[in-house]
Amino acid sequence: MTSSVPLWITIGYIAIAMAIGLAARGGRRMNSLEEWGVAGRSMGPVTLYLLIAAGSVSAYTFMGAPGWAYAKGVPVLYVVIYLGYLALVAWYFGPKVWAFGARFGHVTQASAITDRYQSPALGALAALVMSIGSIAYAVLQTIGSAYILLVMSGGAIPVWAGVLLVLSAIAIYLYVSGQRAIGKTNVFQGVLMIVVAWIIGLWSAHTATGEWSFSAVFTQVLERNPDFLVLPGGGGDMSFAFWTTSIIVSMLSFMPPVWTQWMSGTSARTIRLSATLLPTYYLVILPMIVVGFIGIYSLPELARADTVVLEYAMAHLPAVLVGLLGAGTLAASMSSSEPFIHSVALSWSKDVLQPWFKISDARAGHLARWMIFPLMALIIAPLAIAEPGNLVMILLIGLGFASQVLPAFIGMFFWPRATAWGVMAGILSGFVVTVLLITIWPHPLGIHGGFWGLMVNLPVFLVVSHLTRPAPAEVVERFFRIAAPWYQLSEVNAEKVAVRAES
């Protein structure tokens, strides 16, 4: 394709996103953790719905998921299970997390962990471990963004230049408007993505089969490549064990940006309403997966599976639709990288540097805004330019590390006896095992390395918790009045709480 229309549409999208992100500040001062971090807890149900939806639907919607459908077939449906579970998690845990933040002043996931276990060291450890998964996710999205610009420009914008362009745009409006920029841009990006996905999906199905539905696509796959419709899939490398354990570690990873999004809502009811509607948005991924299945028989010699939708669109669709696809894919990438970069900068400042250097909240808020620049320049940009591995595998490995913080959440929502030492021992042991079984001996017996980490992590957490002293009863009761209202106060502590309330 020689038309410059797709490139100009894609560049136009970046300009619009920049304008929306900068305007989101609305004259407010952004140096406080409360304002830059969680937008003053001011987001209503529509904004929150699109914020959570667009944030969780990333580059894999337009590249990674169709790429897996193209290369492996039905194993890609792990995404459907994972997204459905995210909505359920948001519905149940979201209002509780919002209440923690509103009543106890938390602005990050790790600050809630610090408070629950009365351990700044544990909060810092959780922040650092979770940041591995978050950075992996941001790198993945940045690679997707750069690749879109490479293709839309016909090679005139190389990957390194695309990485710098996209990260620069995000850095500017993120620094200026913080969480408000993420909320406003995600509204625009969320609407753009779902409209583009369905237009491209239906148009591609019509081009490939002559019908405006998806059933004929699967009929052709069944006739030509039936192995793509059953496990282990067309590639033959996705065993039932790895597929299942990958889903489990993904489901057990409570990623920090999601936590921050929940705390940005106006009320617990707002979050529950948004979460109830959330599955309706995840239909965005269906048409893109279908295009991946079309590629199985229409683009059999593709060198890079992640490009199947782009390659098909450039070969068969009008230039305007190719441009919209570029804009939609870029929206998916940027809408997901923004919250992960923001949450890592916020948590490193609030949960690692503030307790270490004993700085004030105001200083930590100022530091968080500047933290995004070295984070992007020294870590995310170099890794994205190096382009390690395929997109979905990067995500799964990152989630394998993030899932090791699971004991902290068990103790926050379900088990009052959990202790800081127990959680810390579990995280460290699980982290070491995950590192070894991803790098030295990758995924033994076809089971995800992060799942092996959890199998060591959880028993260590339980044993050490039973052997060490829990947080003060008043702290535990304060949390469990929200997390589990049926939790019974001890008589002594009930009297203490009642006396304190009367005074």
Side-chain angles (χ1 to χ4, degrees):
M1 178 173 288
T2 57
S3 173
S4 62
V5 171
L7 176 61
W8 285 113
I9 292 176
T10 307
I11 296 293
Y13 155 76
I14 296 177
I16 294 172
M18 278 280 291
I20 293 173
L22 292 173
R25 176 175 178 171
R28 298 174 183 83
R29 293 178 60 83
M30 282 288 161
N31 278 335
S32 74
L33 290 167
E34 185 83 5
E35 190 59 66
W36 192 81
V38 293
R41 309 184 200 277
S42 63
M43 293 186 175
V46 175
T47 301
L48 202 60
Y49 165 74
L50 288 168
L51 173 68
I52 299 172
S56 55
V57 172
S58 58
Y60 70 68
T61 303
F62 292 87
M63 298 182 71
W68 265 41
Y70 173 81
K72 303 176 187 302
V74 292
V76 72
L77 296 181
Y78 95 91
V79 171
V80 177
I81 300 170
Y82 174 59
L83 290 177
Y85 170 78
L86 281 184
L88 184 62
V89 166
W91 189 90
Y92 182 78
F93 292 102
K96 300 177 189 295
V97 169
W98 180 87
F100 291 157
R103 297 185 193 178
F104 309 146
H106 307 154
V107 294
T108 64
Q109 183 184 71
S111 61
I113 293 172
T114 297
D115 187 18
R116 160 64 180 86
Y117 296 97
Q118 298 292 289
S119 171
L122 177 58
L125 176 66
L128 292 172
V129 171
M130 291 301 271
S131 68
I132 295 174
S134 297
I135 289 173
Y137 204 85
V139 168
L140 183 153
Q141 306 310 319
T142 306
I143 293 171
S145 300
Y147 190 78
I148 291 300
L149 290 170
L150 173 73
V151 172
M152 292 297 145
S153 67
I157 303 178
V159 168
W160 67 266
V163 167
L164 296 182
L165 175 62
V166 169
L167 289 181
S168 298
I170 293 175
I172 292 170
Y173 65 70
L174 210 52
Y175 174 81
V176 171
S177 305
Q179 181 74 343
R180 290 184 185 276
I182 297 173
K184 297 295 184 185
T185 55
N186 275 20
V187 169
F188 166 62
Q189 292 159 341
V191 173
L192 178 66
M193 279 189 280
I194 197 163
V195 170
V196 168
W198 277 93
I199 291 175
I200 296 295
L202 290 172
W203 204 297
S204 298
H206 179 70
T207 303
T209 66
E211 297 183 11
W212 291 100
S213 69
F214 299 147
S215 60
V217 173
F218 291 98
T219 300
Q220 294 205 28
V221 174
L222 181 62
E223 293 173 352
R224 303 181 188 193
N225 308 88
D227 50 329
F228 279 75
L229 298 180
V230 293
L231 288 175
D237 58 349
M238 185 54 63
S239 67
F240 177 79
F242 189 76
W243 190 74
T244 305
T245 53
S246 295
I247 292 173
I248 291 173
V249 297
S250 302
M251 293 169 71
L252 297 180
S253 304
F254 287 62
M255 298 302 280
V258 176
W259 199 281
T260 305
Q261 290 162 1
W262 293 340
M263 289 193 291
S264 302
T266 55
S267 67
R269 183 175 177 277
T270 297
I271 297 167
R272 184 145 290 169
L273 179 60
S274 302
T276 302
L277 298 174
L278 207 50
T280 61
Y281 190 85
Y282 292 148
L283 292 175
V284 67
I285 205 166
L286 177 60
M288 291 295 96
I289 289 176
V290 170
V291 180
F293 278 99
I294 292 173
I296 292 171
Y297 58 84
S298 62
L299 298 169
E301 303 299 327
L302 207 54
R304 182 171 173 170
D306 292 332
T307 66
V308 60
V309 176
L310 277 173
E311 295 286 352
Y312 188 83
M314 294 180 75
H316 298 284
L317 303 187
V320 172
L321 290 186
V322 176
L324 286 175
L325 175 62
T329 309
L330 205 53
S333 303
M334 291 174 64
S335 67
S336 297
S337 61
E338 295 162 7
F340 281 88
I341 294 169
H342 172 264
S343 75
V344 172
L346 184 65
S347 196
W348 281 6
S349 300
K350 171 64 181 172
D351 306 306
V352 180
L353 297 179
Q354 184 179 18
W356 184 271
F357 293 105
K358 311 291 184 190
I359 58 179
S360 65
D361 275 351
R363 185 70 178 163
H366 187 71
L367 188 61
R369 296 180 70 188
W370 285 102
M371 184 65 71
I372 60 175
F373 296 108
L375 177 62
M376 289 181 177
L378 301 178
I379 300 177
I380 296 174
L383 289 175
I385 291 171
E387 294 187 81
N390 74 53
L391 299 186
V392 175
M393 195 55 70
I394 294 172
L395 174 62
L396 287 177
I397 290 174
L399 292 175
F401 286 107
S403 64
Q404 302 311 314
V405 186
L406 177 65
F409 308 121
I410 292 175
M412 193 173 293
F413 295 103
F414 301 111
W415 194 38
R417 186 64 182 78
T419 72
W421 285 110
V423 173
M424 200 174 297
I427 291 175
L428 290 173
S429 59
F431 183 82
V432 170
V433 170
T434 302
V435 169
L436 293 175
L437 299 187
I438 284 180
T439 57
I440 306 298
W441 187 18
H443 315 298
L445 304 178
I447 295 174
H448 193 291
F451 188 81
W452 284 113
L454 279 175
M455 292 301 96
V456 175
N457 176 335
L458 293 176
V460 170
F461 157 62
L462 293 173
V463 171
V464 176
S465 287
H466 275 295
L467 296 176
T468 52
R469 178 176 296 179
E474 292 177 19
V475 175
V476 175
E477 289 166 358
R478 175 160 58 84
F479 269 81
F480 275 76
R481 282 179 182 276
I482 297 171
W486 54 88
Y487 173 67
Q488 297 296 313
L489 293 170
S490 66
E491 292 184 6
V492 173
N493 286 306
E495 291 176 3
K496 290 181 180 177
V497 172
V499 169
R500 187 174 298 107
E502 290 174 359
S503 61

